[in-house]
Amino acid sequence: VDDCDDTDDDEDAGEDVEESDDGEETDDGDGEDDDAFDEEQPCNGNVRVTTGIQYGQAPLNGSPSPLTLDLFQPASESETPRPLVVMIHGGGYVAGSPDSMGDIARRMASRGYVVASIGYRLNAADGDVTEPFLRMAQDVLAGTNVSDDEKPPASAIGAGMQDAATALNWLSEYASDFGIDNTRIAVWGESAGAFSALQSAYALDDYGISVPKISAVVSHMGGLGVDSLMESGEAPLFIVHGTDDQIVPYIEAQELQA
């Protein structure tokens, strides 16, 4: 069934197939018309959504905490591995959830991408984060134009960035299980998530941290903090940022563009 078919001939057209991490399938029944997103782009059939996949475990306020993601895949089979988009939600590293990226994740999956919307630790405390990520977060705080009253603790930033790296490495390790092409991985972040996405693509190697090579980056209301970390030949970057942003100033986008 083609989820881009908006006719009345098949009432099931356009509906996603969802399943939990135990494999039980449910119909989300949202009736959303994916054609409204971009009529010029082709769609590739229904989308299979698997929620709550555990990709790791890390301390949160001193106690072990599971790290989970939601996976969006085209329901149709493909002999060719598909590109992966890793989406990272916003919320200032103290709030938010993978659900907030669900609509765009479904639309991307309907066009042939495998999409992982990751959860990560929120409001992490000192002692929850390993040293290189904590140092990287401190450098971000020192270099960003975000006002002091909007800055989260370095421990919260470091945990979010560490979990993004963990998710990237886990997805790369199990790429064949999910039909992922390891040579085509993009990161897409919103606000705080965009900071993590940018760090994943341009900064981790400078701190001795390894992740799969990133092929493309989407920064929605994000910043890098230390712009000198961007080097020629690294992943191309698409920036979306409002000029009146009162949380992450527009100058962050201008500095990335420069």
Side-chain angles (χ1 to χ4, degrees), residues 139-152:
D139 290 344
V140 169
L141 286 173
T144 185
N145 297 286
V146 175
S147 63
D148 288 343
D149 59 344
E150 295 288 351
K151 290 180 179 177

PDB file of all heavy atoms in Angstrom, residues 139-152:
ATOM      1  N   ASP A 139      34.038  23.548  26.604  1.00  0.00           N
ATOM      2  CA  ASP A 139      34.507  24.384  25.497  1.00  0.00           C
ATOM      3  C   ASP A 139      33.329  24.994  24.738  1.00  0.00           C
ATOM      4  O   ASP A 139      33.392  26.153  24.302  1.00  0.00           O
ATOM      5  CB  ASP A 139      35.373  23.559  24.545  1.00  0.00           C
ATOM      6  CG  ASP A 139      36.718  23.173  25.155  1.00  0.00           C
ATOM      7  OD1 ASP A 139      37.112  23.782  26.167  1.00  0.00           O
ATOM      8  OD2 ASP A 139      37.364  22.245  24.611  1.00  0.00           O
ATOM      9  N   VAL A 140      32.259  24.210  24.572  1.00  0.00           N
ATOM     10  CA  VAL A 140      31.059  24.733  23.914  1.00  0.00           C
ATOM     11  C   VAL A 140      30.479  25.891  24.712  1.00  0.00           C
ATOM     12  O   VAL A 140      30.143  26.949  24.156  1.00  0.00           O
ATOM     13  CB  VAL A 140      30.006  23.621  23.739  1.00  0.00           C
ATOM     14  CG1 VAL A 140      28.665  24.201  23.303  1.00  0.00           C
ATOM     15  CG2 VAL A 140      30.485  22.593  22.724  1.00  0.00           C
ATOM     16  N   LEU A 141      30.360  25.716  26.022  1.00  0.00           N
ATOM     17  CA  LEU A 141      29.814  26.774  26.869  1.00  0.00           C
ATOM     18  C   LEU A 141      30.671  28.036  26.817  1.00  0.00           C
ATOM     19  O   LEU A 141      30.152  29.155  26.826  1.00  0.00           O
ATOM     20  CB  LEU A 141      29.708  26.283  28.314  1.00  0.00           C
ATOM     21  CG  LEU A 141      28.574  25.289  28.607  1.00  0.00           C
ATOM     22  CD1 LEU A 141      28.695  24.752  30.017  1.00  0.00           C
ATOM     23  CD2 LEU A 141      27.215  25.947  28.397  1.00  0.00           C
ATOM     24  N   ALA A 142      31.971  27.862  26.738  1.00  0.00           N
ATOM     25  CA  ALA A 142      32.869  29.015  26.695  1.00  0.00           C
ATOM     26  C   ALA A 142      32.782  29.757  25.366  1.00  0.00           C
ATOM     27  O   ALA A 142      32.991  30.976  25.313  1.00  0.00           O
ATOM     28  CB  ALA A 142      34.310  28.567  26.946  1.00  0.00           C
ATOM     29  N   GLY A 143      32.441  29.026  24.289  1.00  0.00           N
ATOM     30  CA  GLY A 143      32.463  29.641  22.965  1.00  0.00           C
ATOM     31  C   GLY A 143      31.129  30.060  22.416  1.00  0.00           C
ATOM     32  O   GLY A 143      31.063  30.849  21.468  1.00  0.00           O
ATOM     33  N   THR A 144      30.027  29.589  22.998  1.00  0.00           N
ATOM     34  CA  THR A 144      28.718  29.886  22.434  1.00  0.00           C
ATOM     35  C   THR A 144      28.250  31.289  22.784  1.00  0.00           C
ATOM     36  O   THR A 144      28.698  31.890  23.774  1.00  0.00           O
ATOM     37  CB  THR A 144      27.681  28.864  22.933  1.00  0.00           C
ATOM     38  OG1 THR A 144      26.443  29.109  22.280  1.00  0.00           O
ATOM     39  CG2 THR A 144      27.472  28.992  24.437  1.00  0.00           C
ATOM     40  N   ASN A 145      27.331  31.807  21.958  1.00  0.00           N
ATOM     41  CA  ASN A 145      26.737  33.127  22.190  1.00  0.00           C
ATOM     42  C   ASN A 145      25.433  33.043  22.980  1.00  0.00           C
ATOM     43  O   ASN A 145      24.777  34.061  23.183  1.00  0.00           O
ATOM     44  CB  ASN A 145      26.465  33.805  20.843  1.00  0.00           C
ATOM     45  CG  ASN A 145      27.736  34.066  20.064  1.00  0.00           C
ATOM     46  OD1 ASN A 145      28.513  34.957  20.381  1.00  0.00           O
ATOM     47  ND2 ASN A 145      27.968  33.261  19.027  1.00  0.00           N
ATOM     48  N   VAL A 146      25.047  31.853  23.404  1.00  0.00           N
ATOM     49  CA  VAL A 146      23.848  31.686  24.228  1.00  0.00           C
ATOM     50  C   VAL A 146      24.056  32.408  25.561  1.00  0.00           C
ATOM     51  O   VAL A 146      25.143  32.349  26.157  1.00  0.00           O
ATOM     52  CB  VAL A 146      23.554  30.192  24.470  1.00  0.00           C
ATOM     53  CG1 VAL A 146      22.377  30.015  25.415  1.00  0.00           C
ATOM     54  CG2 VAL A 146      23.295  29.486  23.143  1.00  0.00           C
ATOM     55  N   SER A 147      23.032  33.119  26.020  1.00  0.00           N
ATOM     56  CA  SER A 147      23.154  33.875  27.266  1.00  0.00           C
ATOM     57  C   SER A 147      23.352  32.943  28.453  1.00  0.00           C
ATOM     58  O   SER A 147      22.906  31.791  28.436  1.00  0.00           O
ATOM     59  CB  SER A 147      21.914  34.745  27.494  1.00  0.00           C
ATOM     60  OG  SER A 147      20.761  33.939  27.650  1.00  0.00           O
ATOM     61  N   ASP A 148      24.003  33.446  29.487  1.00  0.00           N
ATOM     62  CA  ASP A 148      24.338  32.614  30.640  1.00  0.00           C
ATOM     63  C   ASP A 148      23.104  32.005  31.298  1.00  0.00           C
ATOM     64  O   ASP A 148      23.142  30.860  31.768  1.00  0.00           O
ATOM     65  CB  ASP A 148      25.117  33.438  31.678  1.00  0.00           C
ATOM     66  CG  ASP A 148      26.538  33.744  31.218  1.00  0.00           C
ATOM     67  OD1 ASP A 148      27.019  33.078  30.283  1.00  0.00           O
ATOM     68  OD2 ASP A 148      27.150  34.669  31.791  1.00  0.00           O
ATOM     69  N   ASP A 149      21.986  32.750  31.328  1.00  0.00           N
ATOM     70  CA  ASP A 149      20.798  32.221  31.998  1.00  0.00           C
ATOM     71  C   ASP A 149      20.089  31.147  31.188  1.00  0.00           C
ATOM     72  O   ASP A 149      19.182  30.476  31.686  1.00  0.00           O
ATOM     73  CB  ASP A 149      19.820  33.344  32.339  1.00  0.00           C
ATOM     74  CG  ASP A 149      19.359  34.119  31.114  1.00  0.00           C
ATOM     75  OD1 ASP A 149      19.995  33.998  30.050  1.00  0.00           O
ATOM     76  OD2 ASP A 149      18.362  34.857  31.231  1.00  0.00           O
ATOM     77  N   GLU A 150      20.506  30.952  29.927  1.00  0.00           N
ATOM     78  CA  GLU A 150      19.932  29.900  29.091  1.00  0.00           C
ATOM     79  C   GLU A 150      20.871  28.701  28.962  1.00  0.00           C
ATOM     80  O   GLU A 150      20.483  27.678  28.380  1.00  0.00           O
ATOM     81  CB  GLU A 150      19.617  30.438  27.689  1.00  0.00           C
ATOM     82  CG  GLU A 150      18.539  31.508  27.651  1.00  0.00           C
ATOM     83  CD  GLU A 150      17.148  30.973  27.921  1.00  0.00           C
ATOM     84  OE1 GLU A 150      16.982  29.736  27.975  1.00  0.00           O
ATOM     85  OE2 GLU A 150      16.214  31.788  28.070  1.00  0.00           O
ATOM     86  N   LYS A 151      22.072  28.813  29.485  1.00  0.00           N
ATOM     87  CA  LYS A 151      23.039  27.730  29.331  1.00  0.00           C
ATOM     88  C   LYS A 151      22.770  26.607  30.327  1.00  0.00           C
ATOM     89  O   LYS A 151      22.660  26.845  31.534  1.00  0.00           O
ATOM     90  CB  LYS A 151      24.461  28.257  29.548  1.00  0.00           C
ATOM     91  CG  LYS A 151      24.983  29.177  28.458  1.00  0.00           C
ATOM     92  CD  LYS A 151      26.397  29.647  28.769  1.00  0.00           C
ATOM     93  CE  LYS A 151      26.948  30.544  27.665  1.00  0.00           C
ATOM     94  NZ  LYS A 151      28.300  31.058  27.995  1.00  0.00           N
ATOM     95  N   PRO A 152      22.672  25.371  29.855  1.00  0.00           N
ATOM     96  CA  PRO A 152      22.547  24.233  30.773  1.00  0.00           C
ATOM     97  C   PRO A 152      23.899  23.902  31.379  1.00  0.00           C
ATOM     98  O   PRO A 152      24.947  24.385  30.907  1.00  0.00           O
ATOM     99  CB  PRO A 152      22.052  23.104  29.865  1.00  0.00           C
ATOM    100  CG  PRO A 152      22.586  23.458  28.517  1.00  0.00           C
ATOM    101  CD  PRO A 152      22.620  24.963  28.450  1.00  0.00           C
TER     102      PRO A 152
END
